[in-house]
DNA sequence: CTCTTAAATGCAACTTAGTCGCATTTACTT
DNA sequence: AAGTAAATGCGACTAAGTTGCATTTAAGAG
């Protein structure tokens, strides 16, 4: 199981909470917030937040804030942009690689906001 | 004074709070959150939030959430992207027009996140 | 395998941006 | 000037996330 390897490679203690948490993120195809998974979690929210923060500082996860005042976390692998729908608040990972350039800036993330395909079609 | 005209054109009551608030946004060159201007404001925060919400639903303002769990508002005129610095949390309005396309989606806003020019230079 | 210890956890209290209900005030209408 | 609906101020509340502290647990040494 590679989850344990990821944790150990960063010299983090291999706790049950960390295995459970990282397993959920590895299995997910989209960014998740605490709210999304709290019913599945066997840990306190303080433990969730302390661990996602640690994972982020070790570059295992990355995160961003959406439109709904919640912070979303996902496995940090291929850099890609996200689309956040202002109507349904759904978040989609976009396939396109980030190749945006701005002279003098480092671009770590691109977030498009607007109306997603589904909400767009519903309004026709 | 055009501030009063903007408010009246939308058939909103011309209150002193609205004139004060809209005056601040018209004079600003960047998006503002409640925190940014509360010391200047002669109104309760409930009045601030109720009015920016109303201004937004009337398309006088638009808003987005930054990295710091705060919502930022600005005058809704030219569509442009924003850069949010993950280090200093500063928000910049980018000059470039939004001409991004995603089939099936409506893009209302683009937010780049990363490291701004200033923070980037400091780390050299 | 047992002992030691630093790190991780659970819990409750706290912080903070924003919201809401309600009594009072104010802008517009006639 | 009077009537009325909308706007305001205030205090209580909500919800995401944080923090302090007592307890538990993982990892390493012997
Ligand atoms: Mn993603
Ligand atoms: Mn702007
Ligand atoms: Zn949608
Ligand atoms: Zn910066």
């Amino acid at each position: 199981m590679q989850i344990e390897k990821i944790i150990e490679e960063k010299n983090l203690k291999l706790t049950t909470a960390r295995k459970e948490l990282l397993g959920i993120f590895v299995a997910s195809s989209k960014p998740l917030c605490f709210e999304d998974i709290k019913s599945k979690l066997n840990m306190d929210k303080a433990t969730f937040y302390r661990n996602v923060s640690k994972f982020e500082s070790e570059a295992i996860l990355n995160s961003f804030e959406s439109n709904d005042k919640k912070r979303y976390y996902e496995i940090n692998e291929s850099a890609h942009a996200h689309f956040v729908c202002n109507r349904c608040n759904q978040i989609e990972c976009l396939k396109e690689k980030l190749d945006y350039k701005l002279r003098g800036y480092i671009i770590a993330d691109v977030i498009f906001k607007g109306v997603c395909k589904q909400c767009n079609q519903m309004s026709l």
Side-chain angles (χ1 to χ4, degrees), chain A:
Chain A
M1 176 155 270
Q2 62 165 345
I3 287 164
E4 312 198 349
K5 228 178 83 186
I6 296 170
I7 296 171
E8 286 175 330
E9 272 173 1
K10 303 291 184 178
N11 293 314
L12 300 179
K13 262 190 174 179
L14 189 61
T15 65
T16 50
R18 285 183 181 156
K19 284 184 271 186
E20 185 194 349
L21 194 52
L22 193 53
I24 289 172
F25 283 110
V26 165
S28 175
S29 61
K30 60 169 197 203
L32 301 168
C33 66
F34 175 67
E35 181 77 19
D36 288 336
I37 55 175
K38 66 176 177 190
S39 64
K40 291 182 211 150
L41 290 177
N42 291 308
M43 72 193 70
D44 190 72
K45 65 177 173 170
T47 303
F48 169 90
Y49 285 113
R50 283 190 281 232
N51 276 321
V52 289
S53 292
K54 183 140 277 189
F55 287 159
E56 193 167 13
S57 68
E58 297 291 346
I60 296 172
L61 296 181
N62 62 61
S63 74
F64 61 92
E65 305 212 352
S66 184
N67 247 341
D68 55 5
K69 306 219 166 304
K70 294 179 196 154
R71 188 148 206 115
Y72 287 78
Y73 301 86
E74 68 178 346
I75 293 289
N76 181 32
E77 34 192 18
S78 64
H80 56 270
H82 293 99
F83 189 90
V84 177
C85 180
N86 290 331
R87 298 227 183 123
C88 67
N89 279 331
Q90 279 284 92
I91 297 172
E92 290 176 52
C93 300
L94 299 174
K95 307 247 168 55
E96 288 100 59
K97 287 265 171 188
L98 297 185
D99 63 342
Y100 304 94
K101 293 268 177 259
L102 281 176
R103 209 171 275 281
Y105 298 79
I106 297 171
I107 296 177
D109 202 2
V110 181
I111 301 174
F112 293 93
K113 293 188 178 176
V115 184
C116 75
K117 274 184 190 167
Q118 288 179 351
C119 289
N120 200 7
Q121 267 188 324
M122 282 204 295
S123 57
L124 295 181

